[in-house]
Amino acid sequence: MTTDLPDDVMVPFAVHVDFESGALTPDPVILRRNHADLAGYFANESDAPGEDEMYAVHEIRVPATNNNLLSSTTVLQPGTVGGEYFMTKGHFHATRDRAEIYLTLSGQGLLVMALEDGTTETKEMRPGIVNYVPGHWAHRSVNTGDTPLVFYAVYIGDAGYDYATIAEQGFPVVVVEGEHGPEVVPNPRYTGR
Ligand code: M6P
Ligand code: ZN
């Protein structure tokens, strides 16, 4: 049997993931987001401590093409800004129909998802839970616990990031500290739909 291999066929590799710290070995590319990087994302930022790290994304780099799977661990610190729990920026995929899978490794949180028509879904994140994010759903993770929320995400290589829509419109709901724990409430600043 003859096979026509493409010129760019990749060599298999393995990476070790530390479930507690999210650290990848070897050789991760780490993207750090501090509080200042999230300026404008929280309703009340007066108590936001500038240069402190809010989360880090450790990426396993492969070509960002539709025949590859990109993946990363995210380590989201615990805390609140003006009553809202620390969270990721959140994004739609630039190629809207691209799906993503999250596997939570440690900590606890909520995965908030939204369609462009304002429909929302919120799912629990805790160790062992796999969350499936279908195409067209913006996604943001929120740390509602008091330890780092660590999860592994896998997505189609050409998904790309649309941060601008969320940066401009916000999510339809926000997660705030309530008397009896986290509450998912309508976002008064949401301008989408
Ligand atoms: C997950 C994935 C990544 C994303 C990261 C942080 O690991 O969805 O693609 O970069 O979370 O989220 P954001 O990019 O929205 O800040
Ligand atoms: Zn994504």
Side-chain angles (χ1 to χ4, degrees), residues 31 33 55 57 59 72-74 88-91 100 102 139 141 151 153 155 161 163:
L31 181 73
R33 303 283 197 201
Y55 60 99
V57 181
E59 296 180 344
S72 55
T73 55
T74 299
T88 59
K89 288 185 169 187
H91 57 270
E100 182 156 347
Y102 279 29
H139 36 291
S141 35
F151 59 93
Y155 49 103
Y161 293 92
Y163 287 108

Side-chain angles (χ1 to χ4, degrees), residues 42-63:
F42 295 93
N44 177 4
E45 293 177 337
S46 53
D47 57 352
E51 297 308 310
D52 287 358
E53 182 172 299
M54 187 164 296
Y55 60 99
V57 181
H58 305 229
E59 296 180 344
I60 297 175
R61 280 274 162 97
V62 296

Side-chain angles (χ1 to χ4, degrees), residues 16-191:
H16 178 264
V17 181
D18 184 296
F19 285 16
E20 284 302 312
S21 69
L24 301 179
T25 313
D27 200 30
V29 176
I30 302 181
L31 181 73
R32 296 184 190 283
R33 303 283 197 201
N34 62 28
H35 290 244
D37 293 324
L38 275 86
Y41 280 82
F42 295 93
N44 177 4
E45 293 177 337
S46 53
D47 57 352
E51 297 308 310
D52 287 358
E53 182 172 299
M54 187 164 296
Y55 60 99
V57 181
H58 305 229
E59 296 180 344
I60 297 175
R61 280 274 162 97
V62 296
T65 52
N66 67 0
N67 56 350
N68 275 306
L69 297 171
L70 285 165
S71 67
S72 55
T73 55
T74 299
V75 184
L76 175 58
Q77 297 303 317
T80 56
V81 175
E84 285 178 70
Y85 292 96
F86 285 4
M87 62 192 186
T88 59
K89 288 185 169 187
H91 57 270
F92 286 96
H93 289 153
T95 306
R96 281 289 192 276
D97 65 359
R98 298 310 196 237
E100 182 156 347
I101 279 182
Y102 279 29
L103 168 61
T104 302
L105 306 178
S106 54
Q108 68 179 64
L110 292 173
L111 177 58
V112 181
M113 293 159 283
L115 291 173
E116 279 182 290
D117 69 1
T119 307
T120 63
E121 283 281 339
T122 303
K123 296 287 182 198
E124 193 188 355
M125 297 177 77
R126 62 184 158 78
I129 296 282
V130 169
N131 290 107
Y132 190 81
V133 184
H136 300 281
W137 289 86
H139 36 291
R140 161 182 286 166
S141 35
V142 181
N143 187 347
T144 57
D146 48 22
T147 59
L149 173 64
V150 182
F151 59 93
Y152 180 65
V154 185
Y155 49 103
I156 300 165
D158 68 348
Y161 293 92
D162 168 11
Y163 287 108
T165 304
I166 298 298
E168 284 160 19
Q169 304 180 349
F171 265 75
V173 294
V174 291
V175 185
V176 297
E177 237 179 342
E179 233 178 281
H180 307 288
E183 290 174 9
V184 181
V185 298
N187 179 4
R189 301 198 304 162
Y190 177 61
T191 59

